[in-house]
Amino acid sequence: MMRYMMAALMGLMLLSGAATAQAQAAAQAAPDPIAVEQLRHAIGTWEVETDFIDTDGKILGSAKGTYVFKWVLPDRIVSGTSTIPAWRQTSAILFFVRPKTSEVEMASVGSDGVLWQMIGPDSSETRTTPNVAMDDGSTMMLRFTRHSVTPDSFGSTMEMSVDGGESWHIANQQRFVRKKEEGAAEK
């Protein structure tokens, strides 16, 4: 009798170990290679020029700033800061891949404490926020699309919607140029 109980206990332990290994493998599913490349491309220091645009397409103002991105967890999580001195604006940024849902998320928060979450498919260059309630009772959605990507530059277009995503207008355009490292040779 004791031998049968020991055999049953051993069987349960083996099944439990197999289930744990399967759960660990699922939790560590590989992210989409396109998403990983987007994260890898972001690493470094970027000089950025931002044009803010009104609903008629007129540039309201431009400012220069710096974005810095570093790995928190290679090929999974990137942290960064955005600084625009002329506007005394600094934001913290976090990018991460979610292999289980095939998404990339960007979270950003500035000194006002408002958290913006931008989510999109891991195979896309576009991220969209949910509909966010503003202090005045209105709602707003933002959509960011990265474009014109080269090894040392890219563009970003931010669109805004105040009608739940029914219509969009460009709210800003950004031009990112990778800052050359000190002592790096000219190409």
Side-chain angles (χ1 to χ4, degrees):
M1 175 85 156
M2 184 69 141
R3 198 174 357 167
Y4 292 117
M5 288 176 53
M6 289 297 285
L9 184 58
M10 294 285 282
L12 285 174
M13 289 174 57
L14 287 172
L15 286 174
S16 174
T20 301
Q22 286 177 334
Q24 288 174 341
Q28 294 186 13
D32 185 281
I34 294 171
V36 171
E37 274 310 308
Q38 288 178 27
L39 295 182
R40 288 178 182 168
H41 184 263
I43 300 301
T45 301
W46 299 85
E47 299 295 334
V48 182
E49 187 169 359
T50 304
D51 296 332
F52 284 89
I53 301 167
D54 72 10
T55 55
D56 295 325
K58 179 182 172 194
I59 295 176
L60 297 172
S62 296
K64 293 183 179 185
T66 304
Y67 283 53
V68 178
F69 295 106
K70 297 177 182 179
W71 288 114
V72 173
L73 182 61
D75 291 349
R76 297 291 178 120
I77 304 170
V78 172
S79 70
T81 56
S82 162
T83 307
I84 301 176
W87 294 335
R88 296 186 192 115
Q89 184 180 34
T90 299
S91 298
I93 303 167
L94 188 67
F95 281 102
F96 54 96
V97 294
R98 296 192 300 206
K100 285 185 176 183
T101 58
S102 299
E103 295 174 309
V104 172
E105 182 168 343
M106 176 185 153
S108 174
V109 65
S111 61
D112 61 2
V114 176
L115 174 65
W116 291 94
Q117 294 175 277
M118 294 144 265
I119 303 167
D122 60 8
S123 59
S124 172
E125 295 278 6
T126 300
R127 314 276 175 257
T128 306
T129 69
N131 213 11
V132 176
M134 306 309 290
D135 289 341
D136 65 2
S138 65
T139 61
M140 182 187 318
M141 291 177 71
L142 302 177
R143 179 168 62 192
F144 292 81
T145 303
R146 192 172 82 133
H147 55 84
S148 308
V149 179
T150 73
D152 293 319
S153 67
F154 66 94
S156 175
T157 300
M158 183 188 82
E159 297 169 281
M160 179 187 306
S161 175
V162 294
D163 58 12
E166 293 293 319
S167 63
W168 297 87
H169 75 273
I170 295 175
N172 81 35
Q173 292 273 7
Q174 293 181 297
R175 292 165 300 286
F176 287 72
V177 176
R178 188 180 303 278
K179 187 173 179 181
K180 294 192 185 324
E181 292 182 36
E182 300 269 328
E186 288 290 320
K187 291 183 179 181

